[in-house]
Amino acid sequence: MKKKSFKSHEDLAIFELAFDTAMTIYELTKKFPIEERYSLTDQIRRSSRSVCANLAEAWRKRRYKAAFIAKLNDCEAEASETQVWIKFAVKCGYIEINQAREIYSTYNKVLCGLVNMINNSAQWTIGE
C-alpha cells in the first residue's frame, strides 16, 4: 500500500500489532509480584507503550525524513527493550515460556515492519 492509503498512524497494521501487544503485556503484568511494581512491571509497560507513542510521533514528523527515521529508530529501541524485559519476566517465572515466545515473536514482526519503513522512508515521507 502507498502512504496515501493511510490517514493516521492508527491505520498502520504495525501500530495495531504493537498496541494490542502492549495491552497484552499490561494484562500479564497485573499478575507480577508487588515488589516488581516499580521495576520490571513499570519498565515493560513503559517500553511497550513507547513503541506505539513513538510511532504516532514518527507519523506526524513525516515532513522531515531525518525526524521520521529518528522516531522510527526510537520505536526499534523500545521494541527491543521490551523483548529484553520479556526475557527477564520468563527467567523470574512471571510469564510462561509459550506466552513469552509469542510476544517476543510479535515484537520481531514489529521490528521487521519498522526496519521496512526506515529502509523505504521515501514512500512514507511527505515533503522535503
Side-chain angles (χ1 to χ4, degrees), residues 96-127:
E96 294 293 323
I97 189 75
N98 290 336
Q99 276 185 311
R101 283 183 179 144
E102 187 176 322
I103 294 168
Y104 200 94
S105 174
T106 300
Y107 277 103
N108 279 338
K109 291 175 188 172
V110 169
L111 286 163
C112 182
L114 291 168
V115 169
N116 186 38
M117 288 178 80
I118 291 166
N119 289 341
N120 297 292
S121 59
Q123 294 177 348
W124 297 97
T125 52
I126 52 174

mmCIF file of all heavy atoms in Angstrom, residues 96-127:
data_model
loop_
_atom_site.group_PDB
_atom_site.id
_atom_site.type_symbol
_atom_site.label_atom_id
_atom_site.label_comp_id
_atom_site.label_asym_id
_atom_site.label_seq_id
_atom_site.Cartn_x
_atom_site.Cartn_y
_atom_site.Cartn_z
ATOM 1 N N GLU A 96 4.825 -17.436 31.374
ATOM 2 C CA GLU A 96 5.069 -18.759 30.814
ATOM 3 C C GLU A 96 5.866 -18.624 29.513
ATOM 4 O O GLU A 96 5.664 -17.672 28.747
ATOM 5 C CB GLU A 96 3.750 -19.476 30.524
ATOM 6 C CG GLU A 96 2.943 -19.807 31.754
ATOM 7 C CD GLU A 96 3.623 -20.854 32.623
ATOM 8 O OE1 GLU A 96 4.243 -21.783 32.074
ATOM 9 O OE2 GLU A 96 3.539 -20.727 33.859
ATOM 10 N N ILE A 97 6.732 -19.568 29.273
ATOM 11 C CA ILE A 97 7.627 -19.521 28.116
ATOM 12 C C ILE A 97 6.870 -19.415 26.795
ATOM 13 O O ILE A 97 7.276 -18.677 25.898
ATOM 14 C CB ILE A 97 8.616 -20.721 28.108
ATOM 15 C CG1 ILE A 97 9.686 -20.538 27.031
ATOM 16 C CG2 ILE A 97 7.901 -22.036 27.917
ATOM 17 C CD1 ILE A 97 10.734 -19.537 27.359
ATOM 18 N N ASN A 98 5.750 -20.118 26.666
ATOM 19 C CA ASN A 98 4.995 -20.076 25.403
ATOM 20 C C ASN A 98 4.381 -18.699 25.155
ATOM 21 O O ASN A 98 4.385 -18.214 24.022
ATOM 22 C CB ASN A 98 3.923 -21.160 25.372
ATOM 23 C CG ASN A 98 4.528 -22.541 25.245
ATOM 24 O OD1 ASN A 98 5.646 -22.700 24.751
ATOM 25 N ND2 ASN A 98 3.802 -23.544 25.700
ATOM 26 N N GLN A 99 3.873 -18.079 26.212
ATOM 27 C CA GLN A 99 3.348 -16.717 26.078
ATOM 28 C C GLN A 99 4.467 -15.759 25.693
ATOM 29 O O GLN A 99 4.293 -14.889 24.854
ATOM 30 C CB GLN A 99 2.737 -16.248 27.397
ATOM 31 C CG GLN A 99 1.317 -16.671 27.618
ATOM 32 C CD GLN A 99 0.780 -16.056 28.898
ATOM 33 O OE1 GLN A 99 1.423 -16.117 29.936
ATOM 34 N NE2 GLN A 99 -0.385 -15.458 28.803
ATOM 35 N N ALA A 100 5.593 -15.919 26.348
ATOM 36 C CA ALA A 100 6.739 -15.047 26.085
ATOM 37 C C ALA A 100 7.216 -15.200 24.648
ATOM 38 O O ALA A 100 7.528 -14.195 23.993
ATOM 39 C CB ALA A 100 7.868 -15.366 27.055
ATOM 40 N N ARG A 101 7.269 -16.412 24.163
ATOM 41 C CA ARG A 101 7.700 -16.638 22.780
ATOM 42 C C ARG A 101 6.770 -15.947 21.795
ATOM 43 O O ARG A 101 7.208 -15.378 20.797
ATOM 44 C CB ARG A 101 7.776 -18.131 22.477
ATOM 45 C CG ARG A 101 8.996 -18.793 23.045
ATOM 46 C CD ARG A 101 9.061 -20.256 22.668
ATOM 47 N NE ARG A 101 10.260 -20.848 23.218
ATOM 48 C CZ ARG A 101 10.344 -22.071 23.686
ATOM 49 N NH1 ARG A 101 9.290 -22.872 23.663
ATOM 50 N NH2 ARG A 101 11.477 -22.524 24.178
ATOM 51 N N GLU A 102 5.484 -16.000 22.079
ATOM 52 C CA GLU A 102 4.500 -15.368 21.208
ATOM 53 C C GLU A 102 4.693 -13.841 21.200
ATOM 54 O O GLU A 102 4.704 -13.213 20.141
ATOM 55 C CB GLU A 102 3.085 -15.718 21.678
ATOM 56 C CG GLU A 102 2.006 -15.251 20.744
ATOM 57 C CD GLU A 102 0.628 -15.707 21.196
ATOM 58 O OE1 GLU A 102 0.487 -16.837 21.695
ATOM 59 O OE2 GLU A 102 -0.304 -14.906 21.045
ATOM 60 N N ILE A 103 4.871 -13.263 22.377
ATOM 61 C CA ILE A 103 5.086 -11.819 22.477
ATOM 62 C C ILE A 103 6.401 -11.427 21.810
ATOM 63 O O ILE A 103 6.466 -10.453 21.052
ATOM 64 C CB ILE A 103 5.042 -11.361 23.945
ATOM 65 C CG1 ILE A 103 3.630 -11.550 24.513
ATOM 66 C CG2 ILE A 103 5.481 -9.903 24.078
ATOM 67 C CD1 ILE A 103 3.541 -11.393 26.016
ATOM 68 N N TYR A 104 7.439 -12.178 22.091
ATOM 69 C CA TYR A 104 8.758 -11.909 21.505
ATOM 70 C C TYR A 104 8.673 -11.957 19.984
ATOM 71 O O TYR A 104 9.199 -11.080 19.285
ATOM 72 C CB TYR A 104 9.760 -12.940 22.026
ATOM 73 C CG TYR A 104 11.199 -12.533 21.900
ATOM 74 C CD1 TYR A 104 11.860 -11.919 22.965
ATOM 75 C CD2 TYR A 104 11.913 -12.762 20.737
ATOM 76 C CE1 TYR A 104 13.189 -11.547 22.869
ATOM 77 C CE2 TYR A 104 13.243 -12.388 20.629
ATOM 78 C CZ TYR A 104 13.881 -11.787 21.689
ATOM 79 O OH TYR A 104 15.196 -11.413 21.591
ATOM 80 N N SER A 105 7.984 -12.956 19.474
ATOM 81 C CA SER A 105 7.809 -13.112 18.030
ATOM 82 C C SER A 105 7.016 -11.938 17.442
ATOM 83 O O SER A 105 7.331 -11.451 16.350
ATOM 84 C CB SER A 105 7.089 -14.431 17.739
ATOM 85 O OG SER A 105 6.781 -14.547 16.380
ATOM 86 N N THR A 106 6.018 -11.489 18.162
ATOM 87 C CA THR A 106 5.240 -10.338 17.701
ATOM 88 C C THR A 106 6.132 -9.109 17.595
ATOM 89 O O THR A 106 6.054 -8.352 16.612
ATOM 90 C CB THR A 106 4.059 -10.067 18.649
ATOM 91 O OG1 THR A 106 3.221 -11.219 18.670
ATOM 92 C CG2 THR A 106 3.254 -8.861 18.188
ATOM 93 N N TYR A 107 6.996 -8.906 18.582
ATOM 94 C CA TYR A 107 7.908 -7.763 18.502
ATOM 95 C C TYR A 107 8.921 -7.920 17.373
ATOM 96 O O TYR A 107 9.351 -6.912 16.800
ATOM 97 C CB TYR A 107 8.582 -7.474 19.846
ATOM 98 C CG TYR A 107 7.673 -6.639 20.715
ATOM 99 C CD1 TYR A 107 6.962 -7.208 21.753
ATOM 100 C CD2 TYR A 107 7.480 -5.291 20.452
ATOM 101 C CE1 TYR A 107 6.093 -6.448 22.522
ATOM 102 C CE2 TYR A 107 6.613 -4.519 21.208
ATOM 103 C CZ TYR A 107 5.924 -5.110 22.245
ATOM 104 O OH TYR A 107 5.058 -4.352 22.989
ATOM 105 N N ASN A 108 9.274 -9.152 17.019
ATOM 106 C CA ASN A 108 10.117 -9.342 15.831
ATOM 107 C C ASN A 108 9.391 -8.864 14.576
ATOM 108 O O ASN A 108 9.997 -8.263 13.689
ATOM 109 C CB ASN A 108 10.536 -10.809 15.680
ATOM 110 C CG ASN A 108 11.703 -11.171 16.560
ATOM 111 O OD1 ASN A 108 12.476 -10.306 16.995
ATOM 112 N ND2 ASN A 108 11.853 -12.454 16.845
ATOM 113 N N LYS A 109 8.080 -9.106 14.514
ATOM 114 C CA LYS A 109 7.282 -8.626 13.381
ATOM 115 C C LYS A 109 7.219 -7.100 13.378
ATOM 116 O O LYS A 109 7.319 -6.468 12.325
ATOM 117 C CB LYS A 109 5.872 -9.211 13.434
ATOM 118 C CG LYS A 109 5.815 -10.698 13.179
ATOM 119 C CD LYS A 109 4.413 -11.228 13.357
ATOM 120 C CE LYS A 109 4.418 -12.741 13.281
ATOM 121 N NZ LYS A 109 3.118 -13.311 13.636
ATOM 122 N N VAL A 110 7.046 -6.529 14.560
ATOM 123 C CA VAL A 110 7.024 -5.068 14.675
ATOM 124 C C VAL A 110 8.364 -4.506 14.213
ATOM 125 O O VAL A 110 8.416 -3.556 13.419
ATOM 126 C CB VAL A 110 6.703 -4.633 16.125
ATOM 127 C CG1 VAL A 110 6.949 -3.145 16.326
ATOM 128 C CG2 VAL A 110 5.270 -5.003 16.492
ATOM 129 N N LEU A 111 9.445 -5.095 14.691
ATOM 130 C CA LEU A 111 10.783 -4.638 14.295
ATOM 131 C C LEU A 111 10.996 -4.747 12.789
ATOM 132 O O LEU A 111 11.551 -3.836 12.165
ATOM 133 C CB LEU A 111 11.857 -5.427 15.050
ATOM 134 C CG LEU A 111 12.007 -5.050 16.520
ATOM 135 C CD1 LEU A 111 12.759 -6.132 17.276
ATOM 136 C CD2 LEU A 111 12.699 -3.705 16.650
ATOM 137 N N CYS A 112 10.545 -5.831 12.208
ATOM 138 C CA CYS A 112 10.663 -6.017 10.761
ATOM 139 C C CYS A 112 9.909 -4.911 10.017
ATOM 140 O O CYS A 112 10.413 -4.333 9.062
ATOM 141 C CB CYS A 112 10.125 -7.397 10.377
ATOM 142 S SG CYS A 112 10.271 -7.782 8.637
ATOM 143 N N GLY A 113 8.718 -4.596 10.475
ATOM 144 C CA GLY A 113 7.940 -3.525 9.862
ATOM 145 C C GLY A 113 8.599 -2.168 10.005
ATOM 146 O O GLY A 113 8.596 -1.364 9.074
ATOM 147 N N LEU A 114 9.182 -1.913 11.172
ATOM 148 C CA LEU A 114 9.866 -0.642 11.397
ATOM 149 C C LEU A 114 11.078 -0.505 10.483
ATOM 150 O O LEU A 114 11.287 0.549 9.879
ATOM 151 C CB LEU A 114 10.287 -0.520 12.865
ATOM 152 C CG LEU A 114 9.146 -0.359 13.869
ATOM 153 C CD1 LEU A 114 9.671 -0.535 15.287
ATOM 154 C CD2 LEU A 114 8.448 0.975 13.694
ATOM 155 N N VAL A 115 11.854 -1.561 10.383
ATOM 156 C CA VAL A 115 13.033 -1.541 9.506
ATOM 157 C C VAL A 115 12.596 -1.320 8.060
ATOM 158 O O VAL A 115 13.221 -0.551 7.320
ATOM 159 C CB VAL A 115 13.869 -2.827 9.667
ATOM 160 C CG1 VAL A 115 14.924 -2.947 8.579
ATOM 161 C CG2 VAL A 115 14.516 -2.869 11.049
ATOM 162 N N ASN A 116 11.523 -1.948 7.677
ATOM 163 C CA ASN A 116 10.998 -1.765 6.320
ATOM 164 C C ASN A 116 10.598 -0.309 6.082
ATOM 165 O O ASN A 116 10.882 0.259 5.026
ATOM 166 C CB ASN A 116 9.813 -2.699 6.081
ATOM 167 C CG ASN A 116 9.336 -2.664 4.651
ATOM 168 O OD1 ASN A 116 10.123 -2.569 3.722
ATOM 169 N ND2 ASN A 116 8.031 -2.736 4.474
ATOM 170 N N MET A 117 9.951 0.295 7.072
ATOM 171 C CA MET A 117 9.567 1.703 6.929
ATOM 172 C C MET A 117 10.799 2.600 6.854
ATOM 173 O O MET A 117 10.832 3.551 6.065
ATOM 174 C CB MET A 117 8.667 2.130 8.090
ATOM 175 C CG MET A 117 7.271 1.550 8.023
ATOM 176 S SD MET A 117 6.249 2.033 9.429
ATOM 177 C CE MET A 117 5.758 3.674 8.902
ATOM 178 N N ILE A 118 11.809 2.292 7.647
ATOM 179 C CA ILE A 118 13.042 3.077 7.629
ATOM 180 C C ILE A 118 13.736 2.944 6.278
ATOM 181 O O ILE A 118 14.142 3.933 5.662
ATOM 182 C CB ILE A 118 13.984 2.658 8.778
ATOM 183 C CG1 ILE A 118 13.398 3.082 10.124
ATOM 184 C CG2 ILE A 118 15.384 3.225 8.589
ATOM 185 C CD1 ILE A 118 14.055 2.450 11.333
ATOM 186 N N ASN A 119 13.867 1.712 5.816
ATOM 187 C CA ASN A 119 14.560 1.464 4.553
ATOM 188 C C ASN A 119 13.810 2.016 3.341
ATOM 189 O O ASN A 119 14.406 2.230 2.293
ATOM 190 C CB ASN A 119 14.813 -0.032 4.369
ATOM 191 C CG ASN A 119 15.862 -0.554 5.317
ATOM 192 O OD1 ASN A 119 16.657 0.197 5.880
ATOM 193 N ND2 ASN A 119 15.872 -1.863 5.523
ATOM 194 N N ASN A 120 12.519 2.217 3.493
ATOM 195 C CA ASN A 120 11.697 2.743 2.402
ATOM 196 C C ASN A 120 11.042 4.064 2.819
ATOM 197 O O ASN A 120 9.896 4.339 2.462
ATOM 198 C CB ASN A 120 10.625 1.714 2.012
ATOM 199 C CG ASN A 120 11.238 0.448 1.492
ATOM 200 O OD1 ASN A 120 11.835 0.439 0.418
ATOM 201 N ND2 ASN A 120 11.128 -0.622 2.255
ATOM 202 N N SER A 121 11.780 4.860 3.543
ATOM 203 C CA SER A 121 11.216 6.087 4.115
ATOM 204 C C SER A 121 10.667 7.046 3.057
ATOM 205 O O SER A 121 9.721 7.786 3.333
ATOM 206 C CB SER A 121 12.242 6.788 4.986
ATOM 207 O OG SER A 121 13.390 7.112 4.232
ATOM 208 N N ALA A 122 11.210 7.016 1.867
ATOM 209 C CA ALA A 122 10.723 7.902 0.807
ATOM 210 C C ALA A 122 9.251 7.627 0.475
ATOM 211 O O ALA A 122 8.530 8.535 0.051
ATOM 212 C CB ALA A 122 11.582 7.751 -0.444
ATOM 213 N N GLN A 123 8.816 6.406 0.670
ATOM 214 C CA GLN A 123 7.408 6.062 0.417
ATOM 215 C C GLN A 123 6.488 6.616 1.496
ATOM 216 O O GLN A 123 5.296 6.702 1.299
ATOM 217 C CB GLN A 123 7.233 4.544 0.363
ATOM 218 C CG GLN A 123 7.908 3.879 -0.790
ATOM 219 C CD GLN A 123 7.748 2.367 -0.750
ATOM 220 O OE1 GLN A 123 7.323 1.789 0.242
ATOM 221 N NE2 GLN A 123 8.099 1.727 -1.848
ATOM 222 N N TRP A 124 7.046 6.938 2.636
ATOM 223 C CA TRP A 124 6.244 7.364 3.781
ATOM 224 C C TRP A 124 6.314 8.854 4.052
ATOM 225 O O TRP A 124 5.394 9.408 4.646
ATOM 226 C CB TRP A 124 6.677 6.593 5.038
ATOM 227 C CG TRP A 124 6.447 5.137 4.899
ATOM 228 C CD1 TRP A 124 7.355 4.183 4.534
ATOM 229 C CD2 TRP A 124 5.199 4.452 5.076
ATOM 230 N NE1 TRP A 124 6.736 2.940 4.494
ATOM 231 C CE2 TRP A 124 5.418 3.087 4.821
ATOM 232 C CE3 TRP A 124 3.923 4.872 5.426
ATOM 233 C CZ2 TRP A 124 4.414 2.135 4.915
ATOM 234 C CZ3 TRP A 124 2.906 3.915 5.531
ATOM 235 C CH2 TRP A 124 3.175 2.568 5.265
ATOM 236 N N THR A 125 7.391 9.499 3.678
ATOM 237 C CA THR A 125 7.548 10.910 3.993
ATOM 238 C C THR A 125 6.772 11.793 3.022
ATOM 239 O O THR A 125 6.515 11.410 1.884
ATOM 240 C CB THR A 125 9.032 11.319 3.999
ATOM 241 O OG1 THR A 125 9.645 10.906 2.788
ATOM 242 C CG2 THR A 125 9.762 10.687 5.172
ATOM 243 N N ILE A 126 6.399 12.976 3.511
ATOM 244 C CA ILE A 126 5.640 13.937 2.699
ATOM 245 C C ILE A 126 6.379 15.264 2.736
ATOM 246 O O ILE A 126 6.461 15.893 3.747
ATOM 247 C CB ILE A 126 4.208 14.123 3.215
ATOM 248 C CG1 ILE A 126 4.208 14.459 4.707
ATOM 249 C CG2 ILE A 126 3.373 12.896 2.958
ATOM 250 C CD1 ILE A 126 2.865 14.810 5.288
ATOM 251 N N GLY A 127 6.935 15.677 1.711
ATOM 252 C CA GLY A 127 7.683 16.926 1.723
ATOM 253 C C GLY A 127 9.124 16.674 1.358
ATOM 254 O O GLY A 127 9.475 15.685 0.741
#
